[in-house]
């Protein structure tokens, strides 16, 4: 959940209707890292440092990584790891008022992502540029633009012209 100071803090929703501050959208980047964007603030989760104890806030984009982890307490889930992969999101409301970075192997460092019926964003499909795609005829040659026949794209799409 995100508070008015843009700090990410632990909270539990039991009613099944989630306030927007509880909801996060995962955006996968081309390099395999992810952005975590809060629905309420539309800001990404970020940290100023990857050091142990750093508070997770919202603000600028940050490249997080996800990793399946079994912790020292035997819990299995997903780690949300900061750059370098050592420290990740950790929650222990009895000790910390906010989400902080702690070693990924610690018990409160794993998360379970649950899909909700509440939309958190619209995913826009990526489009290939026409220049990225090569077209071939059945003989494997590049056909003239005006010629007719079966065409096969470098992506495997078949069309008849």
């Amino acid at each position: 959940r995100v508070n008015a100071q843009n700090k990410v803090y632990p909270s539990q929703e039991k009613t099944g209707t989630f306030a927007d501050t509880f909801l996060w959208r995962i955006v996968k980047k081309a390099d395999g890292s992810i952005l975590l964007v809060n629905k309420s603030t539309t800001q990404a989760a970020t940290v100023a440092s990857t050091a142990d104890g750093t508070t997770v806030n919202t603000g600028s984009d940050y490249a997080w990584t996800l990793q399946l982890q079994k912790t020292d307490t035997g819990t299995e889930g997903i780690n949300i790891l900061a750059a370098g992969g050592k420290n990740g999101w950790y929650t222990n409301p009895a000790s910390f008022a906010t989400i902080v970075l702690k070693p990924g192997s610690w018990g409160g460092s794993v998360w379970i992502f649950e899909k909700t019926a509440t939309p958190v964003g619209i995913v826009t499909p990526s489009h290939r540029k026409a220049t990225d795609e090569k077209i071939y005829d059945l003989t494997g040659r590049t056909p003239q633009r005006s010629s007719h026949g079966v065409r096969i794209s470098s992506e495997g799409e078949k069309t008849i012209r």
Side-chain angles (χ1 to χ4, degrees), residues 13-158:
E13 179 67 39
K14 295 182 180 183
T15 65
T17 55
F18 296 93
D20 287 352
T21 57
F22 281 87
L23 300 172
W24 295 85
R25 181 170 42 99
I26 300 171
V27 180
K28 187 173 182 183
K29 296 170 63 174
D31 65 1
S33 66
I34 63 160
L35 296 175
L36 288 170
V37 181
N38 184 266
K39 182 176 182 185
S40 176
T41 66
T42 67
Q43 293 183 329
T46 189
V47 285
S49 156
T50 62
D52 187 328
T54 300
T55 300
V56 177
N57 297 302
T58 57
S60 60
D61 289 357
Y62 187 84
W64 300 96
T65 56
L66 300 179
Q67 178 182 349
L68 186 62
Q69 176 77 40
K70 191 168 192 170
T71 68
D72 57 356
T73 62
T75 308
E76 188 172 82
I78 304 286
N79 273 64
I80 305 169
L81 297 170
K86 179 182 173 192
N87 292 323
W89 286 34
Y90 176 82
T91 181
N92 181 345
S95 300
F96 302 99
T98 61
I99 303 293
V100 296
L101 296 182
K102 287 292 180 184
S105 61
W106 284 24
S109 292
V110 294
W111 302 83
I112 297 174
F113 291 95
E114 295 177 359
K115 187 174 182 176
T116 67
T118 307
V120 291
I122 297 173
V123 177
T124 305
S126 60
H127 296 285
R128 292 185 306 234
K129 294 179 186 171
T131 57
D132 292 348
E133 188 173 66
K134 302 229 185 289
I135 305 291
Y136 304 96
D137 63 16
L138 289 175
T139 64
R141 292 182 283 197
T142 304
Q144 296 292 334
R145 267 207 162 319
S146 61
S147 67
H148 295 279
V150 176
R151 296 182 178 208
I152 304 168
S153 75
S154 56
E155 301 295 321
E157 272 182 46
K158 288 114 181 131

